[in-house]
């Protein structure tokens, strides 16, 4: 009996060349080819036309199946540079990034403490008081520039910069610093750095444990970030670069000390990729096309009249005639400067030729809009949202806004998870350590600590195309019990419902005292109540006069 035969695969010239310089890689490559040949013989050809190599549309399409890091790591420097250049110089890319950041963060994502009262065993009054104090402490830290290590930005401005950097360059990093400064309530400070500064130090090789400046353990958990002491693209005031190791977790406490703000698209991906990566080429080509069309339109607008004259220089305009020898020496006789209403003289024997550039190009706008639709799909921005041009019907415009809002909420979710919530936990932890907040069991039980740090994050509201209909729908959802006042407040106007309710109560009392509002809003007059009162159902005749009155809840309403 003979075992299964191993198929043989002939070595190509490329295989031999690779084996000469990288025998280990060549052996691995040859092994994969043998396995693929064996699988093809055993299973036979598949049934997906997209995998066929004998069809005209796919025979020259042979992409490489790379890993989550090998697909992106070699291209990251170029992707970051080109993405940043597009954001700086291309209006469409600039507008797309601004739209994403403005709708996702806007004036800032704000938190409201929502501790687990049941787990902590706190009464509603005690829990409310604890939440108000915690929010007061965090709001002081977030609204002041004391949260920034450089003292330049508030926490809400740092949210904008963190998301903007992540979208443009792929990822950003936040480091917790502890610096005592006079006048500060807390010593917790944040230092945001761009992903370009996190890299493997010179002289060290990329390995499984250290890749692109990220040091990991055997499980793939990030343990240390290697941060260059200055941005590699900025002015170099140092003789040589140096790298600073930043531990992700405290060695003794295990507390988180550094954060990576990124949105990976593959499992095992270590560094983030710029959001514009799939559309970089499209945006650049579209920018070149726009510039060319603009220049063609300008040239077409400069209609120049050529006049044939027998005398030299007779046809030149006075302002084009050289007035001195220096000007004559610098004047190129073959150079024609175009201008509004310019008249250029020709040499004897030369004939004028008028070109018709056919500008503006009537096909320019439809073509650009078609490309922008593809760009919008890649960036999760509907076309109307991308170009800020709502000319469709009400239902179509609302559908575009709702579709865009799904991606907005997704970006908010991972920004809160990667950046906002960990920063709040740092603040609450320091407040407990300093005795500003009393939290029994905070450092003894991770579950208790998580219960004290729970919070809800809300950002700017979506906005409404028809505020009256939106408010009516919100009222119906609340009355049906499928939504709450807190949820509808966050969606319609943003902010905290409890704070708005307290302010509304205060305003109502002042207006009642001034006679501008009734003491109880929405109460009808006695006549109106009697007119709209529901009719009583007749009771069955039981023979007992005491049973002639129907039950109080047995009523029907008048038909409209």
């Amino acid at each position: 009996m003979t075992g299964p035969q191993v198929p043989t695969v002939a070595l190509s010239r490329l295989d031999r060349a690779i084996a000469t310089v990288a025998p280990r890689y060549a052996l691995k490559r040859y092994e994969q080819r043998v396995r693929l040949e064996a699988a093809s013989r055993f299973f036979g050809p598949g049934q997906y036309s997209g995998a066929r190599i004998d069809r005209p549309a796919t025979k020259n399409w042979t992409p490489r199946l790379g890993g989550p890091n090998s697909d992106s790591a070699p291209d990251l420097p170029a992707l970051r540079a080109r993405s940043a250049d597009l954001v700086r110089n291309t209006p469409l890319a600039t507008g797309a990034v601004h739209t994403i950041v403005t709708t996702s963060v806007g004036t800032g994502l704000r938190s409201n403490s929502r501790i687990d009262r049941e787990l902590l065993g706190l009464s509603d009054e005690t829990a409310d008081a604890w939440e108000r104090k915690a929010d007061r402490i965090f709001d002081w830290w977030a609204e002041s520039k004391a949260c920034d290590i450089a003292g330049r930005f508030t926490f809400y401005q740092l949210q904008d910069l963190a998301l903007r950097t992540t979208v443009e360059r792929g990822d950003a990093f936040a480091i917790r610093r502890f610096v005592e400064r006079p006048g500060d309530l807390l010593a917790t400070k944040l230092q945001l750095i761009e992903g370009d500064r996190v890299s493997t130090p010179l002289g060290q090789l990329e390995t499984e444990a250290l890749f692109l400046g990220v040091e990991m353990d055997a499980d793939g958990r990030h343990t240390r970030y290697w941060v260059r002491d200055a941005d590699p693209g900025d002015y170099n005031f140092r003789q040589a670069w140096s790298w600073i190791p930043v531990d992700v977790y405290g060695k003794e406490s295990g507390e988180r000390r550094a954060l990576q703000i990124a949105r990976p698209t593959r499992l095992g991906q270590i560094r983030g990729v710029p959001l514009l990566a799939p559309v970089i080429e499209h945006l650049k080509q579209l920018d070149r096309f726009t510039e060319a069309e603009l220049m063609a339109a300008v040239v077409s607008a400069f209609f120049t009249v050529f006049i044939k004259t027998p005398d030299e220089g007779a046809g030149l305009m006075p302002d084009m005639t050289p007035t001195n020898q220096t000007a004559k020496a610098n004047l190129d006789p073959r150079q024609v400067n175009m201008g509004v209403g310019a008249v250029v003289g020709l040499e004897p024997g030369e004939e004028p030729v008028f070109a018709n550039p056919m500008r503006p190009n009537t096909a320019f706008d439809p073509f650009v809009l078609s490309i922008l639709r593809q760009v919008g799909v890649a960036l999760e921005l509907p076309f109307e949202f991308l170009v800020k041009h709502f000319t469709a019907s009400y239902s179509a415009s609302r559908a575009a806004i709702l579709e865009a809002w799904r991606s907005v909420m997704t970006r908010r979710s991972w920004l809160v998870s990667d950046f906002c919530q960990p920063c709040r936990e740092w603040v609450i932890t320091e407040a407990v350590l300093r005795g500003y907040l009393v939290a029994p069991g905070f450092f003894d039980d991770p579950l208790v600590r998580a219960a004290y740090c729970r919070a809800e994050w809300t950002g700017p509201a979506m906005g409404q195309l028809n505020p009256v209909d939106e408010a009516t729908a919100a009222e119906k959802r609340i009355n049906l019990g499928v939504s709450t006042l807190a949820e509808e407040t966050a969606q319609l106007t943003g902010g905290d419902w409890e704070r708005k309710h307290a302010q509304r109560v205060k305003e109502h009392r002042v207006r009642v005292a001034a006679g501008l509002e009734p003491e109880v809003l929405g109460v009808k007059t006695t006549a109106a109540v009697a007119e709209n009162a529901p009719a009583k159902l007749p009771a069955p005749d039981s023979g007992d006069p005491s049973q002639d009155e129907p039950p109080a809840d047995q009523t029907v309403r008048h038909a409209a």
Side-chain angles (χ1 to χ4, degrees), residues 116 202 253:
D116 193 335
L202 291 176
S253 63

Side-chain angles (χ1 to χ4, degrees), residues 58-191:
T58 57
K59 64 179 181 179
N60 294 325
W61 184 21
T62 56
R64 183 180 66 90
L65 187 61
N69 296 301
S70 63
D71 278 351
S72 58
D75 298 333
L76 273 180
L79 290 176
R80 290 170 181 163
R82 292 178 177 179
S83 175
D85 182 74
L86 287 176
V87 173
R88 286 192 298 264
N89 301 308
T90 305
L92 291 174
T94 305
V97 172
H98 286 340
T99 298
I100 291 173
V101 176
T102 301
T103 53
S104 300
V105 174
T107 57
L109 305 180
R110 301 179 181 270
S111 65
N112 297 304
S113 182
R114 293 291 183 267
I115 64 177
D116 193 335
R117 309 180 180 201
E118 182 180 356
L119 176 65
L120 300 175
L122 301 178
S123 63
D124 290 342
E125 293 76 9
T126 304
D128 289 342
W130 199 97
E131 290 177 346
R132 285 193 297 268
K133 190 172 184 180
D135 288 339
R136 190 174 296 113
I137 294 173
F138 182 79
D139 289 344
W140 178 92
W141 179 85
E143 294 172 358
S144 69
K145 297 184 178 180
C147 65
D148 181 21
I149 188 65
R152 297 182 56 194
F153 306 106
T154 67
F155 180 62
Y156 306 114
Q157 293 170 335
L158 290 177
Q159 292 177 9
D160 181 287
L161 290 173
L163 180 59
R164 190 178 302 275
T165 303
T166 303
V167 170
E168 179 181 322
R169 297 178 178 267
D171 55 11
F173 293 83
I175 301 175
R176 178 186 181 181
R177 302 282 298 274
F178 198 81
V179 180
E180 296 277 3
R181 289 175 179 169
D184 288 352
L185 180 67
L186 302 173
T188 297
K189 304 289 188 294
L190 297 179
Q191 181 181 4

Side-chain angles (χ1 to χ4, degrees), residues 21 26 34 55 57 62 75 121 130 137 166 171 230 258 265 296 351 378 385 457 462 464 466 521 528:
V21 295
V34 171
R55 301 172 69 91
T62 56
D75 298 333
W130 199 97
I137 294 173
T166 303
D171 55 11
T265 56
E351 295 292 337
F385 218 71
W457 293 84
M462 178 176 61
Q464 303 87 36
N466 192 329
L521 296 178

